[in-house]
Amino acid sequence: MARGRPRQFEVDEVLQAALNVFWAKGYDGTTMADLTEATGLKPGSVYAAFGSKAGLFKQVVDRYVATVFSYGPNGLEADSVREVVRRWLTGAAESTTGEATPAGCLLVQGALATGGESREIAEDLCARRKAAQVMLAERLAAAKASGELSADVDPRVAARYVVALAEGIAVEAASGADRETLLSLVDLAMRRLPWEA
């Protein structure tokens, strides 16, 4: 049985290099020349390994969700709703202001900066953000069922509120706000969550 030539590159390294480019420039703003320069791969190798620019982007976003956005799922493990929210918002502030990464959030800016032929990309990013919101709403619903949240709190609305704050933090970071400034916004939000008595 004939075997294809083995890949001459490390997939994780290529995905990380591509992630940084897509994160900085967005999907539409990233050219194949940008990707080949960042990854060291020729266009043919990119297409052979990932199928297309969109295929590469999908794997990049999978990596982003599993690494950069890991603060979301990890925060859900906190013992209290207040700590879940604090971890979620702090994670947003820290991940959008990394010293070695572009400012802002790939899931937020990526969806805002696409259009036309890239509609499917924007829809996928929006679906991923909505999935995060659903995940948070499920955690808040469990807290409501246990009595931690009062009966008049709608977990879906509370989750949307927290996600909107996190997305606002990402937009502020992309606009130049530093980590200290964003963490001060988190502190302000945590002084009184709107569903607390």
Side-chain angles (χ1 to χ4, degrees):
M1 174 182 276
R3 293 176 54 183
R5 285 180 26 196
R7 286 186 177 159
Q8 300 296 315
F9 60 88
E10 190 63 46
V11 173
D12 285 344
E13 291 176 9
V14 168
L15 289 176
Q16 187 59 50
L19 168 58
N20 289 336
V21 175
F22 281 124
W23 193 348
K25 297 188 170 193
Y27 180 80
D28 283 345
T30 298
T31 65
M32 188 54 69
D34 294 328
L35 293 170
T36 57
E37 181 180 347
T39 64
L41 297 180
K42 294 181 179 178
S45 296
V46 173
Y47 288 115
F50 304 102
S52 64
K53 175 183 167 184
L56 173 58
F57 186 73
K58 181 183 182 312
Q59 289 194 39
V60 160
V61 175
D62 289 343
R63 180 180 181 84
Y64 180 90
V65 169
T67 57
V68 178
F69 182 66
S70 62
Y71 68 82
N74 292 341
L76 298 179
E77 298 173 6
D79 292 335
S80 70
V81 166
R82 173 168 271 280
E83 183 62 13
V84 167
V85 173
R86 189 192 67 74
R87 289 183 187 182
W88 194 286
L89 296 179
T90 300
E94 292 175 348
S95 70
T96 59
T97 56
E99 291 182 9
T101 58
C105 172
L106 177 64
L107 301 181
V108 174
Q109 278 98 262
L112 296 176
T114 56
E117 296 176 7
S118 306
R119 180 170 291 142
E120 288 183 17
I121 297 295
E123 289 172 355
D124 178 55
L125 294 174
C126 289
R128 289 173 188 260
R129 291 195 339 262
K130 185 170 280 292
Q133 186 175 308
V134 168
M135 179 175 58
L136 180 55
E138 288 172 351
R139 172 63 176 86
L140 297 178
K144 182 176 179 177
S146 72
E148 186 181 357
L149 287 180
S150 65
D152 62 344
V153 174
D154 184 334
R156 293 170 300 174
V157 174
R160 181 167 286 201
Y161 172 78
V162 174
V163 170
L165 289 177
E167 290 174 354
I169 285 170
V171 171
E172 286 292 309
S175 300
D178 62 21
R179 181 174 293 183
E180 183 179 355
T181 298
L182 297 177
L183 289 175
S184 72
L185 296 179
V186 174
D187 288 342
L188 180 62
M190 294 306 300
R191 287 183 190 174
R192 185 181 182 282
L193 296 175
W195 54 81
E196 292 182 328

